[in-house]
Structure formats: C-alpha cells, structure tokens
Amino acid sequence: MLQVYTGNGKGKTTAAIGLVIRALGAGMRVYMMQFMKGQAYSEQRILKSFAPQLELQTSGKPFFIAEEGMLSPEERKAWGDEVVVFPPGKPPASYVGLIQSGLQAAQAAVSSQQYDLLILDEINVALFFGLAERAALENLLA
C-alpha cells in the first residue's frame, strides 16, 4: 500500500508518526527518513526511544530553502539567516547531494527487506524544490 500525505501547513508528519506508532504497536519494524529536516525536531527525541524496531534518519540542513520570488521581503527578513534563497531551478548543490544520499539510504532500507513500513517524510517538498529527481523516487517506490 502506498499512502501520500500532502498539502500546506501542519499534519503530514503527524499523520506519518501515527502510522509509525500503529506499526510499532503491531510488532512491525519501521524505517523513517525525514527529508528536509535536521536533528532538531521534538518528535525525533521520542521516536528514537523506539530503536531498534524503528530506524529514524534525517537528510536535511538546519535552515529552510526557497526559490527567489517565493518569499516577500518581509518574510525573507523575518527568516533572517535561517533561509537560503536560490535562483529558480538551481538549488544548492550540497543540499541536492544530501537529499540524494537520503534517497540512497531509503533504497538500501527497501532492498534489505527488514522493514514492514517505510516513511519518506517531506519527500514531496524535496521534489518541489528540485532537490530530488522524480524518476529516482518513482524507482524507489516501484
């Protein structure tokens, strides 16, 4: 089964974590890759306590990214140093490499066949910003 949570605002990660908790409660093993996130989110502390039944990895940086023109001058000022703005179609190469490494790690998790549930948290955001290639994700999902 493939489930996709998408949309603006909160709730996508929360829904995915709900699946994680249900799967763990049923004795399943879970792999969760959080794209676009570093190790600074509150849910990560509690989720890590479920190891080794849950393997949680992240593939992100400690800042937000946006294409030029996506943020108003006021929004850009409010973000300050916590946002990296890049020209349309030219995301930071270091971030592209990091996301690609995350996809490779997720592919290895799938290939290992040791997990009952695989979560690719925020992968749609990585696709939106051009950090991941659609073909690579489709290959992973297949």
Side-chain angles (χ1 to χ4, degrees):
M1 177 186 306
L2 175 63
Q3 295 182 7
V4 178
Y5 302 119
T6 187
N8 294 331
K10 298 191 178 286
K12 298 175 294 294
T13 297
T14 302
I17 290 171
L19 284 178
V20 168
I21 298 301
R22 291 185 70 194
L24 293 173
M28 297 180 177
R29 291 189 42 90
V30 179
Y31 178 88
M32 183 174 190
M33 172 63 75
Q34 290 189 300
F35 292 92
M36 310 294 296
K37 293 183 176 180
Q39 293 282 333
Y41 291 85
S42 60
E43 74 266 14
Q44 294 165 340
R45 286 189 298 273
I46 191 70
L47 288 173
K48 287 182 179 185
S49 70
F50 290 108
Q53 293 82 10
L54 169 65
E55 181 171 346
L56 172 64
Q57 295 185 353
T58 61
S59 182
K61 293 193 176 260
F63 55 79
F64 185 69
I65 63 169
E67 282 189 346
E68 289 175 357
M70 288 184 72
L71 301 175
S72 69
E74 295 80 20
E75 290 171 319
R76 192 164 178 182
K77 183 177 178 182
W79 276 98
D81 293 339
E82 295 181 19
V83 65
V84 170
V85 178
F86 62 92
K90 296 183 180 182
S94 63
Y95 217 141
V96 172
L98 185 61
I99 298 301
Q100 289 176 354
S101 294
L103 281 169
Q104 290 170 355
Q107 182 65 58
V110 169
S111 298
S112 75
Q113 297 184 353
Q114 64 179 342
Y115 300 99
D116 303 295
L117 176 63
L118 176 76
I119 305 280
L120 303 175
D121 187 37
E122 302 292 358
I123 190 61
N124 284 338
V125 177
L127 285 170
F128 174 80
F129 283 115
L131 301 172
E133 294 180 14
R134 182 181 175 129
L137 178 59
E138 288 176 354
N139 182 53
L140 173 64
L141 296 175

